[in-house]
């Protein structure tokens, strides 16, 4: 999610809730950008990772040419960037809003792996900011003495628009959850058996993590800037992972109503505030982060997310 101007935040929240209660649910409008079908890949193993990365880069180059021919210069430029020789694309699909899974670091030898799950308004057209968040986390964790880390930026679902009825329901998260579970199973097969795995879930991405959490083989789940998870409390998530939550003092999501209303066709609202005592998460310090600032280099939030990624849980500063 982006950050609305301060004076419009409460108005926006009220409008979103009213719209969610009165407007039929529908998929958000997305650009129809032509692109090839995803590359055919061999079964993914540590030995075939480089082959997969190369195939997906080639697919991104083809997608860039098709987007340019279609007249979408912005998408073409973003696809070309993803196709750069140093990028490690575990998955790529340039069709429509687009999907991509990018790896930072040596996944096959990492003993600490973090998966970033993005929130609304994230697509190939806005991928640059998501990339920067993952890059910042990787830089913060890779400096740790003796640590071998990898960060996985997972744009593996079609995110809702911030200003939409979909963002106030678990519908899109329920569609995404099986894909996130599949990714975790894939990472467990690709990374060393002993690897510590953390999910770092931002904004609506925390709803996705909440819906995928039951029985998921991860060590930590961190929810930042979360509007809710669709669950009443941590036990309702059905996970053995440590569950963390944080919200910066300048994050407008604090004004989102934490309600859930059952309607005829859907349940609207995302439930208990994850930083509340009632939810039961381990609340940590995010400083003065705004909604887009949790991965800002040098911030309290990024420092704590790096500690969670590294498994240095006793070093996380709590509030």
């Amino acid at each position: 999610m982006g950050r609305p101007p301060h004076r419009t935040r409460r108005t926006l929240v009220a409008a979103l809730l009213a719209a969610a209660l009165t407007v039929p649910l529908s998929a958000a409008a997305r650009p129809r950008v032509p692109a090839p079908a995803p590359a055919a890949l061999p079964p993914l193993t540590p030995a075939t990772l480089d082959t997969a990365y190369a195939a997906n880069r080639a697919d991104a180059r083809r997608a860039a040419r098709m987007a340019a021919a279609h007249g979408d210069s912005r998408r073409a430029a973003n696809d070309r960037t993803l196709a750069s020789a140093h990028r490690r694309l575990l998955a790529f699909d340039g069709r429509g809003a687009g999907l991509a899974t990018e790896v930072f670091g040596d996944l096959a030898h990492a003993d600490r792996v973090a998966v970033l799950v993005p929130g609304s308004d994230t697509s190939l057209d806005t991928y640059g900011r998501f990339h920067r968040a993952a890059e910042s986390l990787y830089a913060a964790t890779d400096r740790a003495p003796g640590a071998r880390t990898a960060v996985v930026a997972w744009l593996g679902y079609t995110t809702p628009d911030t200003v939409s009825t979909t963002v106030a329901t678990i519908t899109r998260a329920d569609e995404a959850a099986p894909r996130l579970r599949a990714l975790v199973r894939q990472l467990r097969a690709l990374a060393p058996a002993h690897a510590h795995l953390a999910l770092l879930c931002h904004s609506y991405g925390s709803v996705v993590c909440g819906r995928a959490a039951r029985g998921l083989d991860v060590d930590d789940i961190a929810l930042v800037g979360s509007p809710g998870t669709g669950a009443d409390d941590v036990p309702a998530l059905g996970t053995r992972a440590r569950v963390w939550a944080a919200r910066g003092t300048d994050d407008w999501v604090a004004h989102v109503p934490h309600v859930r209303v059952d309607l005829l066709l859907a349940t609207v609202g995302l439930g208990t505030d994850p930083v509340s005592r009632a939810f039961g998460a381990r609340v940590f310090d995010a400083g003065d982060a705004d909604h887009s600032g949790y991965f800002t280099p040098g911030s309290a939030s990024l420092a704590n997310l790096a500690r969670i990624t590294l498994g240095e849980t006793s070093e996380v500063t709590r509030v």
Side-chain angles (χ1 to χ4, degrees):
M1 292 182 181
R3 181 186 173 198
H6 179 75
R7 62 186 177 183
T8 68
R9 293 175 195 167
R10 291 185 181 277
T11 302
L12 173 61
V13 169
L16 282 176
L17 190 59
L21 292 169
T22 58
V23 180
L25 297 177
S26 62
R30 292 289 184 175
R32 294 187 174 275
V33 182
L41 300 175
L44 279 174
T45 68
T48 64
L49 273 174
D50 286 342
T51 299
Y53 295 155
N56 286 317
R57 287 195 300 268
D59 198 36
R61 285 193 292 273
R62 288 191 292 270
R65 290 193 292 270
M66 291 179 70
H70 184 66
D72 193 330
S73 58
R74 178 185 181 188
R75 174 63 65 83
N78 288 340
D79 287 344
R80 280 194 297 270
T81 298
L82 279 165
S84 300
H86 66 283
R87 305 294 280 266
R88 294 170 169 164
L89 299 180
L90 193 63
F92 177 82
D93 185 347
R95 298 171 296 182
L99 304 172
T101 303
E102 184 172 9
V103 175
F104 299 74
D106 183 357
L107 180 58
H109 296 96
D111 51 22
R112 302 287 186 269
V113 179
V115 179
L116 269 60
V117 181
S120 56
D121 291 329
T122 308
S123 68
L124 289 186
D125 292 321
T126 61
Y127 185 81
R129 67 189 184 198
F130 185 43
H131 173 89
R132 288 189 293 274
E135 196 170 44
S136 295
L137 179 68
Y138 180 65
T141 56
D142 193 50
R143 288 195 293 264
R148 294 177 297 178
T149 63
V151 171
V152 179
W154 182 72
L155 175 56
Y157 75 109
T158 302
T159 68
D161 293 336
T162 296
V163 183
S164 70
T165 57
T166 310
V167 79
T169 77
I170 60 173
T171 302
R172 197 64 62 86
D174 279 344
E175 294 170 357
R179 299 181 183 183
L180 181 55
R181 293 189 192 106
L183 175 75
V184 169
R185 289 193 297 270
Q186 187 176 70
L187 295 178
R188 283 299 185 196
L190 293 171
H194 64 276
H196 174 276
L197 203 159
L199 295 184
L200 309 184
C201 319
H202 176 240
S203 192
Y204 190 84
S206 65
V207 191
V208 177
C209 291
R211 303 304 288 176
R214 184 167 298 277
L216 202 62
D217 187 12
V218 297
D219 300 284
D220 290 276
I221 299 173
L223 315 170
V224 292
S226 174
T229 63
D232 290 331
D233 51 28
V234 168
L237 294 175
T239 178
R240 295 182 180 179
R242 288 176 292 260
V243 178
W244 306 81
R247 185 165 59 226
T249 57
D250 201 25
D251 188 343
W252 63 265
V253 85
H255 303 295
V256 171
H258 293 283
V259 297
R260 190 161 56 238
V261 180
D262 292 322
L263 301 179
L264 180 62
L265 297 178
T267 298
V268 174
L270 301 171
T272 309
D273 185 349
V275 300
S276 68
R277 184 181 298 274
F279 190 74
R282 303 172 184 222
V283 180
F284 65 92
D285 182 22
D288 61 355
D290 62 21
H291 196 62
S292 301
Y294 290 96
F295 295 90
T296 300
S299 66
S301 175
L302 181 62
N304 279 324
L305 289 168
R307 292 169 184 138
I308 292 169
T309 296
L310 294 167
E312 298 173 352
T313 54
S314 64
E315 302 300 315
V316 175
T317 56
R318 305 279 292 274
V319 295

